[in-house]
Amino acid sequence: PAEPELLGFVQSFCAFLVAMPGNPDPKKGPFYLIKGLLKVLDEFPWAEDSTGQAQAYTTLVLLMAALAQPRLPYSCLGVEGNDVLYAGDPAYQAELIQLTHSLVKRVVALLSSEPPAAALSERGGRLLDVVNVVLVALDPTEEVGALVRGLLDHARKLLPIDHRYLAHTSAFARARGHAPP
């Protein structure tokens, strides 16, 4: 499949996974399908100047944020979701946090590489997408604050100073307690 089709699939599949319970087999675990999707994304032949892989990982971060909620945003009638099956399970929470941090690191690594001149604005916009996801999905810690400030700083190097998305994202970061430098 081409990148747009794969990205569409990733978005639809992640929306489905919010309501889909994890695999009950302890050898596979609750994140089995997510890990399988990660393997597909890692092996896909992404175009060199594309931000598609970063987009896909960002979508997975949003999924992880949904799965971290005490009550999932939606479910299927008669199907127990992960919020019921793994409620209060510290191993589930630990793996969810580890996967989320791993995904954020992957996105940051992909978007921190030097983009071609034609892709500066798109790369900057993707960085701001990640900042917004991080601000919404992760608890506000010093580590998250440092990550947000670093991403905003990098986005400022790629975008014009009067870029509206940059201004709004910076204001949101300040409101969440992560004042940009």
Side-chain angles (χ1 to χ4, degrees):
E3 282 186 29
E5 286 83 12
L6 180 59
L7 290 171
F9 169 78
V10 169
Q11 291 171 339
S12 297
F13 190 57
C14 285
F16 170 74
L17 289 176
V18 169
M20 181 72 175
N23 193 310
D25 181 347
K27 293 178 185 172
K28 295 180 180 173
F31 301 105
Y32 178 72
L33 292 175
I34 295 169
K35 290 176 181 177
L37 179 58
L38 279 171
K39 286 181 184 177
V40 169
L41 296 175
D42 289 342
E43 294 172 8
F44 186 81
W46 299 98
E48 198 171 305
D49 61 344
S50 169
T51 60
Q53 191 173 19
Q55 283 179 268
Y57 290 149
T58 302
T59 300
L60 280 162
V61 172
L62 288 169
L63 168 63
M64 302 311 282
L67 294 176
Q69 296 178 38
R71 182 169 177 182
L72 295 176
Y74 53 89
S75 60
C76 297
L77 187 61
V79 177
E80 290 183 332
N82 286 349
D83 57 340
V84 174
L85 295 173
Y86 301 102
D89 181 352
Y92 175 83
Q93 291 298 322
E95 188 171 4
L96 188 139
I97 290 167
Q98 183 273 327
L99 269 171
T100 303
H101 284 255
S102 170
L103 287 164
V104 169
K105 286 178 183 176
R106 287 177 187 213
V107 173
V108 170
L110 287 166
L111 294 177
S112 294
S113 63
E114 191 62 35
L120 290 177
S121 182
E122 182 182 359
R123 186 73 53 101
R126 294 286 171 237
L127 282 166
L128 295 177
D129 290 345
V130 174
V131 169
N132 281 291
V133 167
V134 166
L135 287 170
V136 172
L138 301 179
D139 290 330
T141 63
E142 187 56 40
E143 180 185 10
V144 169
L147 174 64
V148 165
R149 289 187 295 276
L151 290 171
L152 282 171
D153 190 42
H154 193 66
R156 280 190 199 97
K157 294 174 186 173
L158 301 174
L159 298 169
I161 194 145
D162 61 346
H163 195 276
R164 290 182 66 173
Y165 191 24
L166 176 60
H168 290 295
T169 301
S170 295
F172 184 45
R174 278 192 299 279
R176 297 279 295 175
H178 301 297

